[in-house]
Amino acid sequence: MSISRHIEALYREESRRVLATLIRLLGDFDLAEEALQDAFAAAVTQWPVDGLPDNPRAWLISAGRFKAIDRLRRRARFDASLEELALRFEQATEMPDLDLSVEDDRLRLIFTCCHPALSEQARVALTLREVCDLTTEEIASAFLTPTPTVAQRIVRAKAKIRDAGIPYRVPEKSELAERLDSVLQVIYLVFNEGYFPSSGDAPTRADLSSEALRLGRLLLSLLPEPEVAGLLALMLLTEARRAARTDAAGDPVLLDDQDRTLWDRALIAEGEKLVEQALRSRRFGPYSLQAAIAAVHAEAARPEDTDWEQIVGLYDVLLRAAPSPVIALNRAVAVAMRDGPEAGLALIDGLLADGGLDGYYLARAARADLCRRAGRIEEARAGYREALALCQQGAQRAFLEKRLAALDVESAAR
């Protein structure tokens, strides 16, 4: 691999870890982000001449730190207080801990971003941006929120952390519970962005899903609570299906059409053990219930063996625990599988009338699919077109276009 390609790969794999450590060392998000870019720019210049360092991540952290000091000194011409800050950074002898223990800098960063002083929406948006390098557009898509709104939340959250002096650390165990819900939400959204990207052409982003699983395991080792186990179980049971999610051409494959022999039985076994552990505790929540639903799917050797009665029952409990339009949509699809497409369509039409799923292309796609199954071809065609108008993801758009073309072929054959 060439030096330039190695640096590109290193940026994809390590930049967020480097950034997290630079934030710890420098105490400022914006300064750390500038230092990160400066460090990689230096690598592009120096590594082709000097060769790859023995520890690239440590080199980048050190380079970023010194680049930040240089920036502060240049700015000190206009603000004398920055010279003192630069001197303090220069004299600091602390070396970053580069192991992957529970004191991992990225975990520290997540808890900093999820501090109770920030609004819940700001915590999630900031963590997705800073820890996982998602764009504001991707975050906005995940939240069904306008992009400028998300951008404002991120800027204000950074300012709040700086001005309030929010500490960069993993909280004491007595403080963890109040921040756990938003941390779990962040990790799950990261996983979903990797497993089911909101934009771009790639059908999956394994790097993000793998990182979410790593963070989930880290969090479980730090705080072995039932809902942490439930979230990790849900991600494992979903990740187990990755190899079957796309065909040889890279196109998405729906759950009922997947080759279940490709499912990773080791991940399924690990996930099932965790979800059983969570449910036995009687202190489980929405993630554990979703994991239980995924476990029922995993138990079925064939699509027709799926226990839809049990799945609908679990969705009933989930809706009471965490009511949301998306969960209601998933329940409607499960009802359609149990009772027929017309029963599901009645539920989806009610949800669409309420307006809670406006802009959510999967709601239109689900309705189109049920119309197709019910023989309501014109409505199906209109539904797929509506879904296409809303969908930003390349692979999913291609899938919807194929479904629409198949309807045209089917109509012509009649």
Side-chain angles (χ1 to χ4, degrees), residues 237 275 279 282 284-299 306-323 327-328 330-332 334-335 338:
L237 289 163
V275 74
L279 295 178
R282 301 291 182 182
F284 56 84
Y287 293 111
S288 300
L289 289 167
Q290 291 177 77
I293 292 169
V296 175
H297 282 295
E299 291 168 358
T306 304
D307 187 346
W308 289 107
E309 184 70 35
Q310 185 179 1
I311 288 176
V312 171
L314 287 167
Y315 271 123
D316 289 339
V317 178
L318 179 58
L319 264 179
R320 291 195 294 271
I327 291 174
N330 292 338
R331 179 186 178 276
V335 168
R338 184 189 67 180

Side-chain angles (χ1 to χ4, degrees), residues 49-348:
V49 177
D50 301 336
L52 289 174
D54 293 336
N55 190 330
R57 192 195 311 175
W59 190 99
L60 289 164
I61 291 168
S62 178
R65 176 169 165 265
F66 284 111
K67 293 291 185 180
I69 292 169
D70 290 342
R71 277 183 178 270
L72 288 174
R73 286 200 166 131
R74 288 196 298 271
R75 294 172 185 172
R77 290 178 295 175
F78 307 99
D79 184 348
S81 65
L82 295 179
E83 178 63 36
E84 182 180 346
L85 184 60
L87 182 62
R88 177 159 58 84
F89 287 153
E90 187 174 41
Q91 292 175 341
T93 57
E94 177 189 7
M95 289 301 294
D97 180 4
L98 298 179
D99 65 27
L100 296 177
S101 69
V102 295
E103 294 302 309
D104 177 52
D105 278 331
R106 295 191 79 182
L107 196 58
R108 288 194 189 106
L109 180 55
I110 283 182
F111 278 105
T112 301
C113 292
C114 294
H115 195 278
L118 305 176
S119 71
E120 181 176 349
Q121 293 173 325
R123 297 175 208 171
V124 176
L126 181 63
T127 307
L128 287 171
R129 179 70 194 98
E130 298 303 320
V131 179
C132 304
D133 201 24
L134 299 190
T135 66
T136 52
E137 290 79 11
E138 289 170 332
I139 300 167
S141 177
F143 281 111
L144 306 181
T145 303
T147 298
T149 301
V150 172
Q152 288 179 348
R153 288 174 186 165
I154 292 171
V155 170
R156 290 170 183 168
K158 287 181 182 179
K160 180 73 172 182
I161 290 172
R162 182 188 64 245
D163 297 343
I166 290 174
Y168 182 73
R169 62 180 176 83
V170 176
E172 300 296 328
K173 287 190 180 292
S174 60
E175 302 175 280
L176 280 171
E178 64 180 330
R179 280 192 253 173
L180 182 59
D181 286 347
S182 57
V183 171
L184 294 178
Q185 184 183 18
V186 166
I187 294 174
Y188 190 44
L189 282 172
V190 173
F191 177 82
N192 275 339
E193 187 61 33
Y195 193 79
F196 198 76
S198 57
S199 61
D201 295 327
T204 63
R205 293 180 61 184
D207 56 333
L208 288 178
S209 295
S210 297
E211 184 61 24
L213 285 167
R214 186 182 78 88
L215 291 174
R217 288 190 168 101
L218 286 173
L219 190 59
L220 184 61
S221 69
L222 178 69
L223 187 67
E225 286 291 308
E227 194 65 345
V228 180
L231 172 61
L232 181 55
L234 174 59
M235 294 190 298
L236 289 166
L237 289 163
T238 307
E239 180 68 14
R241 302 196 295 261
R242 180 182 292 277
R245 277 202 66 232
T246 55
D247 60 20
D251 296 327
V253 180
L254 296 182
L255 181 62
D256 283 355
D257 300 323
Q258 290 177 11
D259 180 355
R260 300 188 177 209
T261 64
L262 297 176
W263 289 2
D264 189 322
R265 304 313 302 185
L267 291 182
I268 289 173
E270 184 182 358
E272 287 176 337
K273 182 177 179 180
L274 286 170
V275 74
E276 289 169 6
Q277 170 187 323
L279 295 178
R280 280 199 306 268
S281 75
R282 301 291 182 182
R283 294 188 294 115
F284 56 84
Y287 293 111
S288 300
L289 289 167
Q290 291 177 77
I293 292 169
V296 175
H297 282 295
E299 291 168 358
R302 302 173 303 167
E304 56 267 32
D305 297 332
T306 304
D307 187 346
W308 289 107
E309 184 70 35
Q310 185 179 1
I311 288 176
V312 171
L314 287 167
Y315 271 123
D316 289 339
V317 178
L318 179 58
L319 264 179
R320 291 195 294 271
S324 83
V326 173
I327 291 174
L329 174 65
N330 292 338
R331 179 186 178 276
V333 173
V335 168
M337 297 304 294
R338 184 189 67 180
D339 301 334
E342 293 292 351
L345 280 168
L347 294 172
I348 291 178

